[in-house]
Amino acid sequence: MSTEELKNLQSNKIVDARGTACPGPLLAAKKAIGEISSGEIMEIYSSDEGTKNDIPKWCQKMSHEFLGIVEEDSYSRLFLRKA
Amino acid sequence: MGTDIESQLAELKKQVSQLKEGTKDQLSMVVFSGDLDKVLAALIISTGAAAYDMKVKLFFTFWAISALRDPAKSAKGKNMIEKMFGWMLPRGASRLTLSKMHMAGMGSAMIRGIMKKHKVASLPEMLKTAAELGVEINICEMSMNLMGFKKEEMIDYPNLTICGVATFLSDAQESKIQLFI
């Protein structure tokens, strides 16, 4: 998805993991994914650089669809659709 | 002919199920070191694996057992040597020291400060998270006996079992990942 498309997405859940270090964002994502239904969209805020590599890999393993990343000033927004 | 195929099929099914057994989505880890940095690494990998929906089984042995001591608890009926071990080894996860740059306590204190600053969870916090994620902890009975540790002085942890090497081996055998830290 393009940055524009991602920005227009309506997320069903936002996980704010900014400020936490590895494995914080991953654990936060794992916890939150249980709270949404299949097909819904989740957004993860992370200021941890490694998360940008970790979350796509995690999605692949868990069969969630990774939609892309929107960069903000001091953090990243990672989008995914639950399998 | 029919029974021949059936028996071949049964044999194949058995072999396939054995193959599946050998590659469970499971992580088995021996946690041997009682160093702060190494136990932290073990717990980061464990909780990460749990986030991957892997079953995680930790086998705590030797020095690592200190990380599971509850500083508020004590055990009765220890002999002199067992008591000495108790005094000399760290009383719990928050007392472990670095494997390098401990510098008579300065380095270890400093790293705790830095971890806090970078919002890295402390060892006791990581253990709590591990418990919530269902990470299993097995403690080596032989090491417990050697060091005179008793189960009643270990932390309250939902999946804590005292066992022997056979438990580790059977867990490790069916795990995709096996590690030693």
Side-chain angles (χ1 to χ4, degrees), chain A residues 18-23 26-27 30-31 53-59 61-62, chain B residues 25 43-44 47-54 118-120 126 129 132-133 176:
Chain A
R18 283 177 292 181
T20 67
C22 173
L26 181 65
L27 296 177
K30 149 87 178 162
K31 200 172 162 211
N53 291 318
D54 278 22
I55 295 292
K57 289 213 171 89
W58 178 72
C59 286
K61 173 80 200 291
M62 310 299 284
Chain B
D25 249 357
L43 283 167
I44 290 177
T47 50
Y52 263 82
D53 274 356
M54 293 184 87
H118 287 272
K119 305 256 175 66
V120 175
M126 291 294 292
T129 308
E132 284 165 12
L133 289 166
K176 266 187 189 161

Side-chain angles (χ1 to χ4, degrees), chain A residues 2 7 13 16 23 35 38 48 60-61 64 67 72:
Chain A
S2 72
K7 277 182 177 166
K13 185 158 194 76
D16 191 351
E35 295 160 13
S38 175
D48 181 64
Q60 200 177 16
K61 173 80 200 291
H64 305 310
L67 302 173
E72 299 290 340

Side-chain angles (χ1 to χ4, degrees), chain B residues 31-35 39 60-69 85 88-90 96 143 146-147 149 181:
Chain B
V31 190
F32 179 93
S33 168
D35 295 327
V39 178
F60 273 70
T61 185
F62 273 87
W63 312 116
I65 298 174
S66 293
L68 301 174
R69 293 174 82 190
F85 263 103
M88 293 175 72
L89 290 170
L96 300 190
S143 304
L146 278 184
M147 295 176 182
F149 288 143
I181 294 188

Side-chain angles (χ1 to χ4, degrees), chain B residues 54-86:
Chain B
M54 293 184 87
K55 208 164 170 42
V56 183
K57 301 193 173 184
L58 304 181
F59 187 72
F60 273 70
T61 185
F62 273 87
W63 312 116
I65 298 174
S66 293
L68 301 174
R69 293 174 82 190
D70 187 331
K73 295 181 190 169
S74 59
K76 287 192 178 75
K78 289 193 183 188
N79 65 32
M80 197 56 205
I81 291 174
E82 289 169 344
K83 276 181 191 160
M84 267 177 57
F85 263 103

Side-chain angles (χ1 to χ4, degrees), chain A residues 9-44:
Chain A
L9 269 183
Q10 201 61 29
S11 298
N12 299 91
K13 185 158 194 76
I14 293 174
V15 185
D16 191 351
R18 283 177 292 181
T20 67
C22 173
L26 181 65
L27 296 177
K30 149 87 178 162
K31 200 172 162 211
I33 199 88
E35 295 160 13
I36 61 169
S37 314
S38 175
E40 290 189 325
I41 290 170
M42 188 166 93
E43 194 175 332
I44 303 151

